[in-house]
Amino acid sequence: LSCASVTGVASASGTNGIGVVEAVQQTAFASTASAGRAEIHPGDAIAHREVLETTKTGGMMLHLADGSRLTLGADSKAMIAAFAYEASSMSGNAVISIPAGTMRYVTGAMPKGHTIIYTPTATMTLQGTNVTIGVNAQGATHLTIEEGAVSVRSKTTGQETVYHAGQSLDITSDGVAMSTAEATG
């Protein structure tokens, strides 16, 4: 999201949820089984198991309770399946699923190794990171690591390796391969 496209900004402090919508570009939605699909706006709280969606020209940025930032690019879908953080003991866990689109995730105070991101082809455990993840229409995952380290496990081959800042890789149904391409969205 660029500064010119942001329709508003809010702070996660003062919310009792897992986080808050900090910015929206164009239009974004949240869906739950009980409440259905609704447009979301800056300042709206995010709840567990909400499916977050952006339009073909949309985007959104979330500020989570531990200070993590999650940004969804255009035409993306993600769900925060679990999120618990206790500031006094600096303990917790986060589980996020991205079945389609592009996401940037910058970890906050969550302990290293306690944030897991699932895609159709990979399970990624973040260790103090700034990553961009893209999932194409076939479910293949592209990962670019800007900071930190990520343990990546291929869901089809079971191959598990730790990758570090500056590395980029593709995780497909064939396994994991280093890449020079960058995720877009």
Side-chain angles (χ1 to χ4, degrees), residues 8-73:
V9 177
S11 170
S13 61
T15 65
N16 292 326
I18 61 172
V20 68
V21 177
E22 190 169 72
V24 173
Q25 178 179 320
Q26 301 295 325
T27 308
F29 299 94
S31 304
T32 62
S34 60
R37 186 175 189 223
E39 189 173 336
I40 57 175
H41 306 280
D44 289 350
I46 298 300
H48 286 103
R49 307 202 59 78
E50 276 187 311
V51 176
L52 306 169
E53 298 176 75
T54 58
T55 61
K56 291 188 185 301
T57 59
M60 78 170 75
M61 181 185 297
L62 307 177
H63 183 221
L64 302 176
D66 74 323
S68 294
R69 305 260 182 197
L70 184 157
T71 304
L72 282 181

Side-chain angles (χ1 to χ4, degrees), residues 102-184:
T102 304
M103 175 180 80
R104 173 167 285 237
Y105 196 89
V106 179
T107 56
M110 190 69 69
K112 289 181 179 181
H114 287 249
T115 300
I116 298 170
I117 298 176
Y118 292 102
T119 71
T121 56
T123 300
M124 296 168 275
T125 304
L126 307 184
Q127 300 172 26
T129 54
N130 176 348
V131 297
T132 301
I133 299 165
V135 178
N136 69 18
Q138 294 74 40
T141 303
H142 178 81
L143 170 67
T144 301
I145 305 166
E146 300 294 329
E147 292 177 22
V150 180
S151 174
V152 176
R153 185 181 61 78
S154 166
K155 287 186 176 179
T156 55
T157 68
Q159 173 187 351
E160 187 166 353
T161 305
V162 175
Y163 297 92
H164 300 278
Q167 293 184 302
S168 185
L169 51 141
D170 292 308
I171 307 107
T172 67
S173 58
D174 295 330
V176 180
M178 296 303 289
S179 172
T180 57
E182 292 188 24
T184 61

